DNA sequence: CGGAGTCTTGAAATATGTCAACTCCCGTGG
DNA sequence: CCACGGGAGTTGACATATTTCAAGACTCCG
């Protein structure tokens, strides 16, 4: 299935209408957004924003997956965020970012020039409010990830990562038929997300296949067979702390 | 030197007046805060807030040091934040937190009941604006720490930690005479901040003493002797990415 | 003076990283 | 259509940073 990436969609028909920065907007407010917005698309692998770039626009991710990552001088890199549909790129009142944003699949962005957008924030409390809420959510996620990076074992990291994918794809309603889930990252990218090497990721995923926890239909699609075992393997407490 | 912790201070004389959540407030606005605020004090080691507690108040740290930390079922813990004077506890629009807040030294908090405070946010854009700014700063710091936790070596972690202490104490204007800096955490706490064990922290600090990078006057006070070497040891790029 | 908490140091264990070879895809271009 | 080539993943053997376990020393405070 190919999606026409550049197709203009009216806000009311937008797939991320109820989760993005516009979530709380009324019909009237949407009309304003409709005037200001424009779509940008990126091919898989393309950079969306580079560290220390001046931010000229901000926007919501409509289709696809992108990553935020930071890199040390010698090339070691650490992903600090995974952007799925409805996630926002850019910051209220900040003109720079200190990480790189890269499209890992083909990506469609619903963009706003930064100047008009800042005016919009000032005049539309619904947008400002949602933006704050989203920033706080990001902070919670970042801290949950700090726990993972600092204290979890390789196996726990992988299990937590898979569980997060399940939850986020479920919430987003982008579940594929059956239990099938898409794995949008290469193992190298997963490694950079989890603070591991790609070999360790490969081995741990292999073990979870052998354990009958996961089944892969192809390189990019899998399903969780043994959910309790997955949960157990995360190392989190049994009620499963939510990790959006 | 002992500070009278419970002494009520007027906002205009407050040591964190220009960095805390009230930073942008006008004199009139301060008068309102003055009415609402109250001081709370905690002894070193006391819990300030417990995970999943209902948040009944929020507040700014005036004196002392506190930590935010998350703990796994089996006891492994990871610090996810270090609170120094002017830092804020609590979230606009959130009634719970998902980590523990603990005083590591004696602590004074400038508190607001949550209900009046939320009204205040709604009516005082200066407060709301500063709160957002502080949340975004926290997010940046959290992501910088993700890079540290996921990709840095023990030595780089220690060096980065020390450098952060230097910068934050410098910014806060709490420098002690000369180059002396205070080390507010035990090595076990440092270990929990850096995702290491306390033994590794001890060994690495020992090496940095031998290398002539640090000198300790007593267990809680040290100075940086070789600043370039410290910077080099962080693993960051040479211009020294700011880590507030 | 005692004792608990903190720190140091050593030896041994181990999880993960490193290096290297090989396989499996999948798309491209001849 | 097939062969080729390169990216992605797998697997093994080995290296090593850090943890673990353990014992002892320091130091501050009651």
């Amino acid at each position: 299935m190919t999606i026409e990436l550049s197709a203009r969609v009216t806000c009311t028909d937008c797939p991320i209408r109820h989760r993005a920065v516009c979530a709380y907007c009324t019909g009237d407010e949407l009309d304003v957004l409709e005037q200001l917005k424009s779509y940008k698309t990126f091919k898989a692998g393309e950079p969306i924003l580079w560290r220390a770039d001046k931010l000229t626009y901000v926007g919501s991710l409509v289709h696809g997956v992108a990553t935020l990552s930071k890199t040390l001088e010698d090339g070691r890199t650490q992903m600090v965020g995974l952007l799925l549909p409805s996630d926002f790129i850019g910051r209220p009142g900040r003109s720079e970012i200190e990480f790189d944003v890269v499209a890992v699949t083909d990506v469609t962005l619903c963009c706003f020039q930064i100047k008009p957008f800042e005016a919009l924030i000032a005049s539309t409390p619904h947008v400002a409010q949602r933006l704050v809420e989203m920033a706080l959510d990001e902070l919670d996620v970042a801290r949950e990830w700090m726990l993972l990076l600092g204290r979890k074992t390789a196996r726990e990291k992988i299990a937590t990562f898979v569980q997060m994918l399940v939850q986020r794809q479920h919430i987003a309603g982008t579940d594929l038929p059956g239990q099938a889930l898409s794995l949008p990252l290469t193992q190298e990218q997963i490694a950079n997300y989890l603070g591991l090497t790609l070999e360790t990721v490969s081995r741990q995923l292999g073990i979870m296949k052998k354990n009958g926890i996961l089944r892969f239909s192809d390189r990019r699609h899998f399903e969780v067979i043994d959910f309790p075992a997955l949960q157990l393997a995360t190392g989190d407490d049994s009620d499963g702390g939510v990790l959006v």
Side-chain angles (χ1 to χ4, degrees), chain A:
Chain A
M1 174 181 67
T2 312
I3 294 165
E4 180 48 49
L5 291 176
S6 53
R8 187 175 178 91
V9 173
T10 62
C11 288
T12 45
D13 295 334
C14 180
I16 60 172
R17 162 76 176 98
H18 297 289
R19 287 174 295 125
V21 73
C22 50
Y24 298 153
C25 289
T26 62
D28 290 358
E29 289 165 343
L30 283 190
D31 292 343
V32 178
L33 294 184
E34 195 77 69
Q35 294 307 116
L36 292 174
K37 84 184 189 193
S38 68
Y39 287 104
K40 278 198 196 345
T41 63
F42 298 84
K43 288 276 170 208
E46 283 183 357
I48 294 175
L49 286 170
W50 216 245
R51 180 179 175 185
D53 273 359
K54 271 291 174 236
L55 222 50
T56 63
Y57 63 88
V58 298
S60 296
L61 207 167
V62 182
H63 294 293
V65 178
T67 61
L68 311 185
S69 54
K70 297 175 80 87
T71 303
L72 256 15
E73 261 198 328
D74 61 6
R76 283 173 287 175
T77 99
Q78 175 64 51
M79 276 182 53
V80 298
L82 181 66
L83 299 180
L84 299 187
S86 85
D87 286 330
F88 187 77
I89 299 173
R91 304 286 195 73
R94 293 284 175 93
S95 62
E96 285 186 0
I97 52 176
E98 13 40 60
F99 42 74
D100 306 321
V101 184
V102 178
V104 296
T105 65
D106 288 350
V107 156
T108 309
L109 244 44
C110 172
C111 296
F112 302 90
Q113 290 305 119
I114 200 151
K115 282 289 177 197
F117 189 76
E118 287 184 341
L120 188 78
I121 293 173
S123 66
T124 316
H126 280 157
V127 172
Q129 183 187 349
R130 179 69 184 139
L131 221 33
V132 171
E133 199 172 273
M134 290 173 82
L136 292 178
D137 285 343
E138 281 187 89
L139 189 52
D140 286 344
V141 171
R143 285 175 168 159
E144 194 72 38
W145 221 248
M146 286 171 68
L147 175 61
L148 174 146
L149 292 171
R151 292 304 188 196
K152 289 194 176 182
T153 65
R155 160 165 254 250
E156 290 168 337
K157 287 177 173 180
I158 297 283
T160 306
F161 170 71
V162 170
Q163 195 184 249
M164 177 217 62
L165 276 184
V166 172
Q167 289 179 182
R168 290 193 61 171
Q169 291 186 33
H170 184 68
I171 289 170
T174 52
D175 299 54
L176 304 177
Q179 294 290 344
L181 292 152
S182 82
L183 193 140
L185 305 179
T186 65
Q187 293 188 176
E188 182 176 21
Q189 290 164 336
I190 296 172
N192 285 335
Y193 201 12
L194 300 177
L196 298 171
T197 60
L198 60 93
E199 292 94 332
T200 300
V201 171
S202 175
R203 284 188 245 265
Q204 293 296 336
L205 281 174
I207 292 171
M208 293 188 114
K209 277 189 272 189
K210 274 210 187 97
N211 291 171
I213 298 177
L214 304 177
R215 173 162 43 221
F216 281 77
S217 50
D218 67 45
R219 206 155 269 176
R220 283 283 127 84
H221 298 274
F222 69 96
E223 64 185 292
V224 179
I225 300 171
D226 188 343
F227 226 99
L230 180 69
Q231 167 63 39
L232 202 74
T234 63
D236 294 327
D237 61 13
S238 42
D239 63 25
V242 176
L243 186 64
V244 178

